[in-house]
Amino acid sequence: MTFEQAAAVPLSGMTALVGLRDAGSVTPGQRVLVNGASGGVGTFAVQIAKALGAEVTAVSSAANAALVQSLGADHVVYYGRDDFTRGTARHNVIFDLIGNHTLTELRSALISKGVLVLSSGTGGRVVGPTGRILKAVAISPFIGQKLKPFTQNGSTKTLNERRDLIEAGRVTPVIDRIYGLAEVSAAMRYFVDEHARGKVAISV
């Protein structure tokens, strides 16, 4: 790998691995949906879900369909055209990296014993996604589905496992653009305004 690819691994790569394997308990043959599949964590998540043996549905823009398919996605839902929560497909695990659907909508796309892993989300101007996360925690014990708010809690062991997947050729970090250290402000503008594909790196 390049240094820029290596720099993308610790946070985003471990978020995807721990979110799917540990929080989502993904096993071979399960149907996994990644909402936000072309982003920094999402590009890792698609590849890791495939490495875990899952059938993967990636939610992305039409412009990024070829990218997520190249990463191993079996199915692609174009969010500008279709709403996966209104379809008939049901998934064992949904890894939500965007937070643009309500819990009720997301649950409708899960099987009765499915797992919803919440790694991000929008919310009110005061509490942000906290209200959504607290609601998930509150209702999860009383329903058949498992709703799991998730924050990355990796370790050296987890990072080594990510390294093993990379060295085996099963996962490759996706870098959209590389900026120099003097261009950090431009990199941040691009990241926020242009919906980066994969990661944006700063070359020191």
Side-chain angles (χ1 to χ4, degrees):
M1 291 190 297
T2 65
F3 286 117
E4 291 79 13
Q5 285 178 310
V9 173
L11 181 59
S12 295
M14 287 203 293
T15 296
L17 179 60
V18 176
L20 288 169
R21 186 194 61 190
D22 300 343
S25 301
V26 173
T27 57
Q30 287 190 325
R31 297 184 301 277
V32 174
L33 181 140
V34 179
N35 187 26
S38 62
V41 176
T43 50
F44 281 108
V46 170
Q47 297 177 82
I48 289 172
K50 288 299 296 181
L52 293 172
E55 178 182 334
V56 181
T57 296
V59 181
S60 77
S61 66
N64 290 331
L67 169 64
V68 295
Q69 287 174 322
S70 73
L71 299 177
D74 300 286
H75 315 284
V76 182
V77 176
Y78 306 141
Y79 65 73
R81 187 187 70 184
D82 301 312
D83 183 347
F84 70 89
T85 67
R86 296 178 182 272
T88 58
R90 297 293 177 267
H91 305 87
N92 299 91
V93 179
I94 293 177
F95 194 21
D96 183 27
L97 301 167
I98 302 297
N100 57 346
H101 291 283
T102 67
L103 295 179
T104 299
E105 290 170 339
L106 291 168
R107 289 181 57 206
S108 71
L110 280 173
I111 63 171
S112 60
K113 298 293 184 180
V115 181
L116 170 61
V117 182
L118 301 166
S119 183
S120 183
T122 56
R125 287 183 292 180
V126 178
V127 297
T130 304
R132 182 171 180 260
I133 290 171
L134 292 176
K135 182 179 179 181
V137 172
I139 68 175
S140 186
F142 304 101
I143 60 177
Q145 297 160 331
K146 296 179 181 179
L147 312 184
K148 295 187 175 182
F150 166 75
T151 55
Q152 194 274 116
N153 187 26
S155 62
T156 300
K157 179 177 181 293
T158 308
L159 186 59
N160 288 339
E161 291 167 338
R162 279 293 288 112
R163 180 203 63 210
D164 292 342
L165 287 171
I166 292 170
E167 290 182 346
R170 307 186 75 179
V171 175
T172 300
V174 176
I175 303 296
D176 185 342
R177 292 191 180 187
I178 298 173
Y179 289 83
L181 187 59
E183 302 173 297
V184 169
S185 59
M188 292 300 297
R189 283 195 298 270
Y190 177 77
F191 178 77
V192 172
D193 297 338
E194 301 298 331
H195 301 287
R197 295 153 45 101
K199 300 296 292 183
V200 173
I202 304 299
S203 181
V204 179

